[in-house]
Amino acid sequence: MFVFRCQAGPNIGMGHLMRCRTLAHALYDLGELCVMVGPSLECSKEVDNNIFEDWIPVPGWDSSVQDAENLNKICKKYSNPFAILDHYRIDKLYQQTLRCNGLHWLQFDGKADRPLWADVILNVRPDAPQLNYQKVIRHPDPILLLGSKFVLIRQEFLKCTSIFPKNSKKKILIIFGGADDRGAILLVLESLLTSLTENVCFLVVIGSQNPRKSFIIQWIKEKNSERIQHFTDPSDLPDIMASSDMAICSGGGVLPELAFFHVPMIVIPIAGNQ
């Protein structure tokens, strides 16, 4: 049994939910049971009904200790669960509370800049093996999964074998994750639409949870340009990525997916941890 504690919502963290879902799907295929704790039900998809035995929303955050105790309470309902933590606020007090209750867990990390009591530490950044984890490890014998070889790639990407011929019309993919793009999509379009030649077109991918979605789509409609196509949570995203000549994107979970198809990228971070 695996219990996921994830932070995700319309404004932030949809990439975190995506990688948790990818890991849970792999565990489900191995016959394991999974539970999701944290995101609201509106963040769930139809596939989650099969992958997750239960989905438990956590509407707010009062304190590290209280959230950790709530997670321990949930875990006690199941037989010897292993936790997966993908949350910005997992600090020293949170981890010590889990450890005092005998819980074991895997923790997603990005910078090796805080104490870690996790049994398994996962950091998929290409430079992760060079980070000094010895200064932050508090577990006596943790498993370190460091580097891009541990990237979680969705099954639909692994199954995409299409090869798209390049033509005279160059395609620039604009994609900033599934949550709030922080205005980046229109910033890029407004900057490039009139400055690049007519043989360049734009493929714009918008997350269904993006609170700016309606405004972005309306802006595109008003431009009435044949050079812009927009998609909302497209089911054929692997094909769209594979057909692109380059991408302008955020620095989150979309990076390894674009790298999987060897798509050149210009990266614009829209969150502090990117």
Side-chain angles (χ1 to χ4, degrees):
M1 167 64 73
F2 292 84
V3 178
F4 289 76
R5 177 64 175 103
C6 177
Q7 179 184 22
N11 294 313
I12 196 169
M14 293 304 291
H16 295 253
L17 176 56
M18 190 68 70
R19 66 186 182 186
C20 284
R21 180 182 285 122
T22 300
L23 178 55
H25 202 161
L27 292 168
Y28 172 80
D29 288 343
L30 292 172
E32 300 288 348
L33 297 179
C34 297
V35 172
M36 174 59 72
V37 178
S40 64
L41 289 174
E42 67 178 354
C43 293
S44 67
K45 295 186 175 182
E46 186 175 349
V47 66
D48 295 325
N49 295 329
N50 294 325
I51 297 174
F52 295 103
E53 184 79 3
D54 199 2
W55 188 292
I56 305 171
V58 177
W61 179 282
D62 294 319
S63 71
S64 295
V65 172
Q66 184 170 337
D67 196 274
E69 289 178 345
N70 181 56
L71 182 61
N72 276 313
K73 184 178 179 181
I74 292 170
C75 288
K76 286 179 180 179
K77 297 179 182 179
Y78 306 100
S79 176
N80 195 29
F82 192 88
I84 311 289
L85 306 185
D86 194 353
H87 200 293
Y88 293 114
R89 294 175 171 174
I90 305 299
D91 57 14
K92 176 180 178 179
L93 285 176
Y94 198 111
Q95 295 177 74
Q96 288 179 333
T97 303
L98 297 184
R99 187 59 70 190
C100 288
N101 282 271
L103 193 65
H104 298 275
W105 72 90
L106 175 150
Q107 190 161 336
F108 285 91
D109 187 59
K111 298 180 180 180
D113 61 349
R114 55 183 170 170
L116 295 169
W117 280 263
D119 299 82
V120 183
I121 299 168
L122 174 59
N123 184 343
V124 301
R125 283 174 42 166
D127 64 339
Q130 284 73 53
L131 296 177
N132 185 7
Y133 268 97
Q134 296 308 313
K135 68 177 182 180
V136 298
I137 289 174
R138 299 295 183 267
H139 189 285
D141 188 26
I143 297 173
L144 299 180
L145 307 179
L146 307 178
S148 55
K149 66 180 178 180
F150 296 106
V151 165
L152 297 166
I153 299 293
R154 287 181 271 174
Q155 291 188 1
E156 55 263 40
F157 285 80
L158 298 174
K159 294 176 181 178
C160 180
T161 57
S162 302
I163 298 177
F164 296 87
K166 305 300 181 182
N167 51 44
S168 58
K169 201 79 168 179
K170 299 301 180 182
K171 299 177 182 178
I172 296 180
L173 173 63
I174 301 174
I175 180 169
F176 284 87
D180 193 346
D181 70 299
R182 310 293 177 87
I185 290 176
L186 292 188
L187 172 67
V188 172
L189 283 174
E190 289 173 339
S191 300
L192 299 184
L193 185 60
T194 57
S195 60
L196 295 181
T197 59
E198 291 293 324
N199 73 324
V200 176
C201 63
F202 302 92
L203 309 178
V204 181
V205 174
I206 309 167
S208 61
Q209 298 292 321
N210 188 337
R212 304 173 194 264
K213 178 182 67 175
S214 298
F215 183 73
I216 295 169
I217 293 174
Q218 182 61 34
W219 186 94
I220 293 172
K221 287 181 178 179
E222 290 176 357
K223 287 297 177 183
N224 193 28
S225 173
E226 295 181 353
R227 297 170 61 198
I228 307 175
Q229 290 179 270
H230 68 85
F231 312 86
T232 300
D233 281 354
S235 59
D236 59 345
L237 181 58
D239 291 341
I240 294 172
M241 285 188 175
S243 69
S244 301
D245 292 279
M246 70 168 293
I248 301 176
C249 62
S250 57
V254 71
L255 288 181
E257 295 174 343
L258 287 164
F260 182 75
F261 292 120
H262 305 283
V263 179
M265 291 170 264
I266 295 175
V267 182
I268 302 176
I270 61 172
N273 66 327
Q274 294 185 351

